[in-house]
Amino acid sequence: MNRLKRYLPILQWAPGYGRDQATSDLVAALIVTVMLIPQSLAYALLAGLPAQVGLYASILPLAIYAVFGTSRTLSVGPVAVASLMTAAALAPIAEAGTDAYVAGAVLLAVMSGLMLTLMGVLKLGFLANFLSHPVISGFITASGLVIAASQLKHLLGIEASGHNLVDILLSLARNLAHTNLHTLAIGTGALLFLLWARRYLKPWLMALGMGARLADILTKTAPILSVLVTTWVAWAFGLAQAGVRLVGQVPSGLPSLTLPPLEPGLWSQLAVGALLISVVGFVESVSVGQTLAAKRRQRIDPDQELIGLGTANLGAGLSGGMPVTGGFSRSVVNFDAGAETPAAGAFTAVGIALATVFVTPAIAYLPKATLAATIIVAVVSLIDLPALVRTWRYSKADFGAMLATILLTLLHSVEAGIIAGVALSIGLFLYRTSRPHCAVVGRVPGTEHFRNVLRHQVELCPKVTFLRVDESLYFANARFLEETVLDLVNRERELRDLVLVCPAVNLIDASALESLEAINERLKDAGVRLHLSEVKGPVMDRLRDTELLAHLSGRVFLSTFEAWQALTERQPALARTA
Amino acid sequence: MNRLKRYLPILQWAPGYGRDQATSDLVAALIVTVMLIPQSLAYALLAGLPAQVGLYASILPLAIYAVFGTSRTLSVGPVAVASLMTAAALAPIAEAGTDAYVAGAVLLAVMSGLMLTLMGVLKLGFLANFLSHPVISGFITASGLVIAASQLKHLLGIEASGHNLVDILLSLARNLAHTNLHTLAIGTGALLFLLWARRYLKPWLMALGMGARLADILTKTAPILSVLVTTWVAWAFGLAQAGVRLVGQVPSGLPSLTLPPLEPGLWSQLAVGALLISVVGFVESVSVGQTLAAKRRQRIDPDQELIGLGTANLGAGLSGGMPVTGGFSRSVVNFDAGAETPAAGAFTAVGIALATVFVTPAIAYLPKATLAATIIVAVVSLIDLPALVRTWRYSKADFGAMLATILLTLLHSVEAGIIAGVALSIGLFLYRTSRPHCAVVGRVPGTEHFRNVLRHQVELCPKVTFLRVDESLYFANARFLEETVLDLVNRERELRDLVLVCPAVNLIDASALESLEAINERLKDAGVRLHLSEVKGPVMDRLRDTELLAHLSGRVFLSTFEAWQALTERQPALARTA
């Protein structure tokens, strides 16, 4: 039963589900539905897909996540960055808007669903750790810029193409002369209204005497208001005749079951794209989920979250939708509106389903410029330039990985950006740990403590050197240790005993073991004995049966002071000043 | 001047070079020359190249290494593994033995030379650290097996092809019926003699009253003896007519300057191969050089070694040779024969040059089967099966990386083997450190020491938890730390203060900093204060100006005991048994 509860988190809350929770969840669902309709349409547009694909991705996935997901308040659906990545992955295989393109989006959702579910079942959630914070943060900032640029064409009513900032801007510049002024008016009108609403609507409503919570919720519905107004304007004034692009006829009714195309060639072409969408979506989703869960001292289970997101994506793909993930802004709205259980997500699914059936005829008159304005306002909040400054000040290496991610995403493609970022952050970490901090230590006079000779006034012995290593020993730094020790032995001609002091060594891998054996042999050749001190329990357990201990020329001491007593007793200890 | 000496190590020893050193070096050079002639021919054969290419690679590179190299006794030239990798890299671009194939080998040497020199100038020697010991060891064992299998065709006098064990063995099986018995007799004769000599020649000579050192040196010349005898047999009995394949006419005289082909397509096709040859060759070379240098308390400089090997390879390529690196067996011979300075290498170059001019006519009658026997005997010593057992016993993870390298090298290709090994060992390391050891610690009663509650009888306080983290905090484990802390807070409902005890944290990267900030915020939401204790100096220096310290809900304590005193003073300390 517990096992079942782990894989079906719905069993943890559904049995005790009561009227009060249902009321809270219904209110939250209503608010999220109103917010999600324009978002779903907009992100379909961003991904180059027909508007209804966004709606389809906001029905079944939400219902499935309510069954398999562990976050009480996460709201899944199409999000900006995943939509951009979808467009980038599909660009090489088909023209945006074609049937093959839509089939590709469906396949991406299914592949992403399979990958995430498999990772969840195999408990491979740790793979997401390879995306470091600076890389994710840089990637999202750069994606936000690319997304905003890609929507300018809809605001201007012109054609433009490209999947990186340079291509998009060049393409825009070429067609700028064809700008449609009606479209521009609608688009900038919506944009200005949304920007104003984001900043001033809540204080204004509160100044009118409205309660803070209600004012907050109404503010969040500004996008649907801009959709309603511009749709009415486009319909009433016949703006289609003036060249304003509208969403157009959307098939009314619920999606039907679709199977993804089964061409192996297509699967392998989309594999990298699907993997990146999966991992980036998962990382974002988990971080939103954890933030919200912590506020109520709840927990989410990352491996089960993989299954929740995976099955949600499978549901998206099989019902003709696009890849989905947990969205930040809508989850916060869901949380703030009082959602208590994942049932709120299921109710939202019902809301979107009703909208899909009854509201789609009206969507035909919605100007694309309005959706573009919605997207631009949403992604502006993704762009986090202060994070660049913070990272630069804290760590130049992390900043390097971040900058590489940003530049490659802006100038080449989202896929190149994220892959380069991951490779660089792994490389930089290995580089940093490849030169571990090593310090020759001496005895603090009259005590059992040993400190760095360069920083403290300590006792030393010319024939015995104590070398403290402040890092786990593994393949990337094993050779450096060999060099450090051999340099030391080469410098200190009087040396007879070398003690490696290991309190910060948490791991000795097979490469480091070989290096220690080599050090032992080489020191033996040079007439110097090698000793170890303060080896941690788990590390010592593994060393016990090895050649190293069998052939160690010196001894293993529990404490450094014990080594000091045993090795220096007949020799005068010289005081040396720091 | 010191800077010049760093880049031109010859200036360190040449000015004081005297008659005694010259005598020692000349003797060593003579012995190495005799050993190197059959090896050069054999490794050219192994690489699918004409015999003279091996000789050319043993002239200029040795002279150049004497100028730029830092090892006193390393002997460079063609080696078995690099020759196999050369053949593997060239296989897709041309048929073995053709002009395009030879041009490809020359280009590989030049590219490898440029890469190594550049890595040396940029001090990128640490990149070689990415090759862990188990991966290198597994790769060399597997390469030894593939090389031995690839030479069976010469022993049998049949045709065979392929660059992995399966292809080679299948190809051999198909043509087994065409075995040439004369060839087989010559080949197995040479093989048995060499195996006998390796094991019994030295004791036999010593039993005859010869000194140990001379017996040792004579044993090392067994290959040249087998070459002389079988060449004479092939010439005297006209074995060519019996279908025994001979080396054939070799152009006499010194190589002339050759420029590599300048086709960008070819360069990019060979780039991965050249990089792998460079890195593997460098790792092998440095480890041989360090082993020998340590015996005389000398030092080699790995970054300058890159320049030494790089310029040697440039020299190889520009004089029509193949990629070279420091060879283990010949360097040991050079060392044992008493070489004192790199001049021994330069003298060897003169020896090989003389041989190239005067001995090449005789080489025409040398059976290829003899060279194949030489190669097989040489590579058998590369196969280190006990290392598999040792690695299995020490670390299953390292064994996994080793096994993957071996299997892919045997079953697919050398390039796939080494790339998979590197990727897997990096992945495994990140995985291991992604779940750092964390322990809740309590106070050892009456002391200032804190120990793991699971292992020791310690005092605890229900409202304050001390969590010790035994690993540097970075992107791969940042999320795990968040999860660990949130789980803990979720379990301990009474908790009011959490102290992170950090004596083994050597690094906090930007990702971990963000995680700590997130932990701080989430704990604040949950009504728990976050404190730090025993933060190392360098780590604290970086944290000083960060948001984390600015917004930390708790304090930073120098020692854990100080935190204990400050946080638990008014609460009863409960004794708990392990």
Side-chain angles (χ1 to χ4, degrees):
Chain A
M1 189 60 192
N2 270 336
R3 200 180 178 82
L4 199 65
K5 271 190 183 168
R6 183 199 171 305
Y7 285 110
L8 286 173
I10 190 174
L11 298 178
Q12 292 166 20
W13 55 267
Y17 196 64
R19 180 189 290 258
D20 286 353
Q21 287 176 308
T23 311
S24 303
D25 286 346
L26 271 169
V27 171
L30 185 67
I31 295 166
V32 174
T33 303
V34 169
M35 178 181 179
L36 197 48
I37 293 172
Q39 276 198 2
S40 299
L41 299 170
Y43 295 142
L45 182 77
L46 167 56
L49 291 163
Q52 70 272 18
V53 176
L55 291 173
Y56 296 168
S58 306
I59 304 174
L60 196 53
L62 279 74
I64 293 178
Y65 182 84
V67 176
F68 293 103
T70 60
S71 166
R72 295 287 170 105
T73 44
L74 192 72
S75 176
V76 301
V79 303
V81 173
S83 301
L84 175 70
M85 294 177 82
T86 300
L90 295 178
I93 68 153
E95 189 78 24
T98 60
D99 282 351
Y101 192 89
V102 176
V106 164
L107 180 55
L108 269 181
V110 169
M111 290 176 72
S112 171
L114 290 174
M115 288 174 178
L116 287 166
T117 309
L118 197 69
M119 283 166 71
V121 172
L122 298 177
K123 301 198 183 295
L124 294 179
F126 76 94
L127 284 177
N129 296 348
F130 285 49
L131 281 177
S132 67
H133 272 282
V135 168
I136 273 281
S137 155
F139 177 68
I140 287 177
T141 289
S143 296
L145 287 168
V146 174
I147 292 170
S150 75
Q151 296 309 304
L152 290 177
K153 65 178 178 187
H154 295 300
L155 281 193
L156 298 165
I158 60 180
E159 292 296 322
S161 60
H163 291 279
N164 64 51
L165 199 62
V166 180
D167 288 353
I168 292 170
L169 293 181
L170 285 178
S171 176
L172 281 174
R174 270 195 299 276
N175 297 326
L176 203 57
H178 305 305
T179 300
N180 179 297
L181 293 178
H182 290 90
T183 306
L184 187 60
I186 293 264
T188 43
L191 188 63
L192 292 174
F193 167 69
L194 290 170
L195 288 173
W196 172 83
R198 164 176 291 241
R199 190 120 182 210
Y200 301 107
L201 185 53
K202 189 179 162 191
W204 185 68
L205 289 173
M206 286 170 72
L208 291 181
M210 197 178 278
R213 178 128 181 262
L214 187 58
D216 201 40
I217 288 171
L218 275 183
T219 302
K220 293 277 162 53
T221 60
I224 197 89
L225 199 66
S226 73
V227 164
L228 291 175
V229 171
T230 57
T231 303
W232 179 80
V233 168
W235 170 76
F237 298 93
L239 288 187
Q241 280 75 46
V244 174
R245 301 253 165 91
L246 307 180
V247 169
Q249 278 308 319
V250 170
S252 174
L254 291 175
S256 51
L257 182 77
T258 44
L259 281 175
L262 290 172
E263 304 156 35
L266 193 57
W267 282 63
S268 70
Q269 262 187 300
L270 292 179
V272 173
L275 181 67
L276 295 179
I277 292 174
S278 305
V279 176
V280 172
F282 171 64
V283 169
E284 276 306 285
S285 203
V286 161
S287 92
V288 175
Q290 280 181 334
T291 306
L292 297 180
K295 285 188 198 287
R296 295 191 187 153
R297 276 208 175 188
Q298 292 166 346
R299 292 287 302 127
I300 65 169
D301 169 358
D303 282 322
Q304 178 61 28
E305 273 304 282
L306 282 166
I307 296 177
L309 273 185
T311 48
N313 268 296
L314 278 174
L318 297 179
S319 60
M322 56 194 288
V324 296
T325 187
F328 179 70
S329 56
R330 81 187 63 138
S331 300
V332 172
V333 170
N334 194 36
F335 182 92
D336 288 343
E340 292 195 18
T341 75
F347 298 151
T348 306
V350 174
I352 301 283
L354 292 173
T356 307
V357 174
F358 297 108
V359 185
T360 36
I363 292 174
Y365 290 94
L366 169 60
K368 288 187 174 179
T370 307
L371 292 179
T374 312
I375 294 174
I376 291 174
V377 173
V379 298
V380 162
S381 67
L382 299 180
I383 299 168
D384 184 4
L385 297 178
L388 266 87
V389 180
R390 264 201 324 273
T391 308
W392 163 260
R393 287 178 52 195
Y394 184 69
S395 158
K396 304 295 175 280
D398 280 320
F399 179 77
M402 191 176 196
L403 194 66
T405 309
I406 292 177
L407 290 180
L408 274 163
T409 305
L410 290 183
L411 305 179
H412 192 275
S413 64
V414 283
E415 299 187 352
I418 202 134
I419 290 171
V422 169
L424 205 57
S425 49
I426 291 175
L428 284 168
F429 173 73
L430 293 179
Y431 175 67
R432 276 197 257 184
T433 54
S434 75
R435 315 195 134 251
H437 185 247
C438 288
V440 172
V441 295
R443 182 187 178 201
V444 181
T447 72
E448 300 187 9
H449 294 298
F450 290 78
R451 292 282 180 275
N452 192 336
V453 295
L454 301 177
R455 298 195 180 188
H456 298 84
Q457 199 167 336
V458 290
E459 290 178 340
L460 290 174
C461 169
K463 296 195 176 174
V464 188
T465 293
F466 294 83
L467 183 70
R468 195 188 66 210
V469 188
D470 290 348
E471 191 75 63
S472 284
L473 297 175
Y474 75 110
F475 63 88
N477 60 27
R479 218 161 275 123
F480 178 78
L481 181 72
E482 286 184 49
E483 285 161 28
T484 306
V485 169
L486 295 179
D487 267 341
L488 192 104
V489 172
N490 199 38
R491 263 197 331 265
E492 310 274 340
R493 293 273 158 184
E494 279 191 79
L495 195 67
R496 288 295 162 268
D497 289 284
L498 179 75
V499 184
L500 277 188
V501 184
C502 310
V505 175
N506 302 307
L507 169 79
I508 294 181
D509 81 351
S511 299
L513 180 70
E514 297 246 2
S515 284
L516 287 173
E517 285 169 8
I519 288 172
N520 183 45
E521 290 305 320
R522 287 174 195 174
L523 289 186
K524 219 183 265 179
D525 287 344
V528 178
R529 288 187 298 171
L530 176 70
H531 311 266
L532 303 175
S533 79
E534 297 188 48
V535 181
K536 290 192 167 180
V539 175
M540 197 63 209
D541 289 345
R542 306 187 98 198
L543 288 182
R544 211 157 315 264
D545 290 329
T546 59
E547 296 278 304
L548 177 66
L549 283 209
H551 298 138
L552 191 69
S553 55
R555 292 168 49 192
V556 180
F557 296 99
L558 277 181
S559 78
T560 308
F561 182 64
E562 196 185 313
W564 174 270
Q565 285 180 307
L567 300 173
T568 67
E569 51 189 346
R570 292 193 201 149
Q571 298 165 0
L574 300 180
R576 191 196 276 182
T577 312
Chain B
M1 189 60 192
N2 271 335
R3 199 179 178 84
L4 200 63
K5 272 190 184 168
R6 182 196 171 309
Y7 285 110
L8 285 172
I10 190 174
L11 297 178
Q12 293 166 20
W13 56 268
Y17 196 63
R19 180 188 291 256
D20 287 352
Q21 287 176 309
T23 311
S24 304
D25 285 346
L26 272 170
V27 171
L30 185 67
I31 295 166
V32 173
T33 303
V34 168
M35 179 182 179
L36 197 48
I37 293 171
Q39 276 198 2
S40 300
L41 300 170
Y43 294 143
L45 183 76
L46 168 55
L49 291 163
Q52 70 272 16
V53 176
L55 291 173
Y56 295 169
S58 306
I59 305 174
L60 196 52
L62 279 74
I64 292 178
Y65 183 83
V67 176
F68 293 103
T70 60
S71 165
R72 295 288 170 104
T73 44
L74 192 72
S75 176
V76 301
V79 303
V81 173
S83 301
L84 175 70
M85 294 176 82
T86 300
L90 295 178
I93 68 153
E95 191 77 25
T98 60
D99 283 352
Y101 192 89
V102 177
V106 163
L107 179 55
L108 269 181
V110 169
M111 289 175 74
S112 170
L114 290 174
M115 287 174 178
L116 287 165
T117 309
L118 197 68
M119 282 167 71
V121 171
L122 299 178
K123 302 197 183 297
L124 295 180
F126 76 93
L127 284 178
N129 296 348
F130 285 51
L131 281 178
S132 67
H133 271 281
V135 169
I136 273 282
S137 156
F139 177 68
I140 287 176
T141 290
S143 297
L145 287 168
V146 174
I147 291 170
S150 76
Q151 296 309 303
L152 290 177
K153 65 177 177 187
H154 294 301
L155 282 194
L156 298 165
I158 59 179
E159 292 295 323
S161 59
H163 292 278
N164 64 52
L165 199 62
V166 179
D167 288 353
I168 293 170
L169 293 181
L170 285 177
S171 177
L172 282 174
R174 270 195 299 277
N175 297 326
L176 203 56
H178 306 306
T179 301
N180 179 296
L181 293 177
H182 290 89
T183 307
L184 187 60
I186 293 264
T188 43
L191 188 63
L192 292 173
F193 167 71
L194 290 171
L195 288 174
W196 173 83
R198 166 176 289 240
R199 188 117 183 214
Y200 300 107
L201 186 54
K202 190 180 163 190
W204 186 67
L205 290 173
M206 286 170 71
L208 291 182
M210 197 177 279
R213 177 129 180 260
L214 188 59
D216 201 41
I217 287 170
L218 275 183
T219 302
K220 294 276 162 54
T221 61
I224 197 89
L225 200 65
S226 72
V227 163
L228 291 176
V229 171
T230 56
T231 303
W232 179 80
V233 169
W235 170 76
F237 298 93
L239 289 187
Q241 280 74 47
V244 174
R245 301 254 165 88
L246 307 179
V247 169
Q249 278 308 321
V250 169
S252 173
L254 292 175
S256 52
L257 183 78
T258 45
L259 282 175
L262 288 171
E263 303 155 35
L266 194 57
W267 283 62
S268 70
Q269 263 187 301
L270 292 178
V272 172
L275 182 67
L276 295 180
I277 291 174
S278 305
V279 176
V280 172
F282 171 65
V283 170
E284 276 308 283
S285 202
V286 161
S287 93
V288 175
Q290 279 181 333
T291 305
L292 298 180
K295 285 188 197 288
R296 295 191 188 154
R297 277 209 174 190
Q298 293 166 347
R299 292 288 301 126
I300 66 169
D301 168 0
D303 282 323
Q304 179 61 26
E305 273 306 282
L306 281 166
I307 296 177
L309 273 185
T311 49
N313 268 297
L314 277 175
L318 297 178
S319 60
M322 56 195 287
V324 297
T325 186
F328 179 70
S329 55
R330 82 185 63 136
S331 299
V332 171
V333 169
N334 193 36
F335 182 92
D336 287 344
E340 292 195 18
T341 75
F347 297 151
T348 306
V350 175
I352 300 281
L354 292 173
T356 307
V357 174
F358 298 108
V359 185
T360 36
I363 291 175
Y365 290 94
L366 170 59
K368 288 187 174 177
T370 309
L371 293 179
T374 313
I375 295 174
I376 291 173
V377 174
V379 298
V380 162
S381 67
L382 298 181
I383 299 168
D384 184 5
L385 297 179
L388 266 87
V389 180
R390 263 201 325 274
T391 309
W392 164 259
R393 286 179 51 197
Y394 185 69
S395 157
K396 304 294 174 281
D398 280 320
F399 179 78
M402 190 176 197
L403 192 67
T405 310
I406 292 178
L407 290 180
L408 273 163
T409 306
L410 291 183
L411 305 179
H412 191 276
S413 65
V414 285
E415 300 188 351
I418 202 133
I419 290 171
V422 168
L424 206 56
S425 48
I426 293 175
L428 284 169
F429 173 73
L430 294 180
Y431 176 67
R432 277 197 256 183
T433 53
S434 75
R435 314 194 134 252
H437 185 246
C438 289
V440 172
V441 295
R443 184 187 178 200
V444 181
T447 73
E448 299 188 9
H449 295 297
F450 289 78
R451 292 282 180 277
N452 192 336
V453 294
L454 301 177
R455 298 194 181 188
H456 299 84
Q457 200 168 334
V458 290
E459 290 178 339
L460 291 174
C461 169
K463 295 194 177 175
V464 187
T465 294
F466 294 83
L467 183 70
R468 197 188 65 210
V469 187
D470 290 348
E471 191 74 63
S472 284
L473 297 175
Y474 74 111
F475 64 87
N477 60 27
R479 218 162 273 123
F480 178 78
L481 181 72
E482 287 184 50
E483 285 161 27
T484 306
V485 169
L486 294 180
D487 268 339
L488 193 102
V489 171
N490 200 38
R491 263 198 331 267
E492 311 272 341
R493 293 272 158 184
E494 280 192 77
L495 194 67
R496 287 295 164 266
D497 289 284
L498 179 75
V499 184
L500 277 188
V501 184
C502 310
V505 175
N506 303 307
L507 168 79
I508 294 180
D509 81 350
S511 299
L513 180 70
E514 297 246 2
S515 283
L516 288 173
E517 285 170 9
I519 288 172
N520 183 45
E521 290 305 320
R522 288 173 194 175
L523 290 186
K524 219 183 265 179
D525 288 343
V528 178
R529 287 187 300 170
L530 175 70
H531 311 267
L532 303 175
S533 79
E534 295 187 50
V535 181
K536 290 193 167 181
V539 175
M540 198 61 211
D541 289 346
R542 306 186 99 199
L543 288 182
R544 213 160 311 267
D545 289 330
T546 59
E547 296 278 304
L548 176 66
L549 285 209
H551 298 137
L552 191 68
S553 53
R555 292 168 50 190
V556 180
F557 296 99
L558 278 182
S559 77
T560 308
F561 183 63
E562 195 185 314
W564 175 270
Q565 286 181 306
L567 300 173
T568 66
E569 51 188 348
R570 291 193 203 154
Q571 297 165 359
L574 299 181
R576 191 196 279 184
T577 314

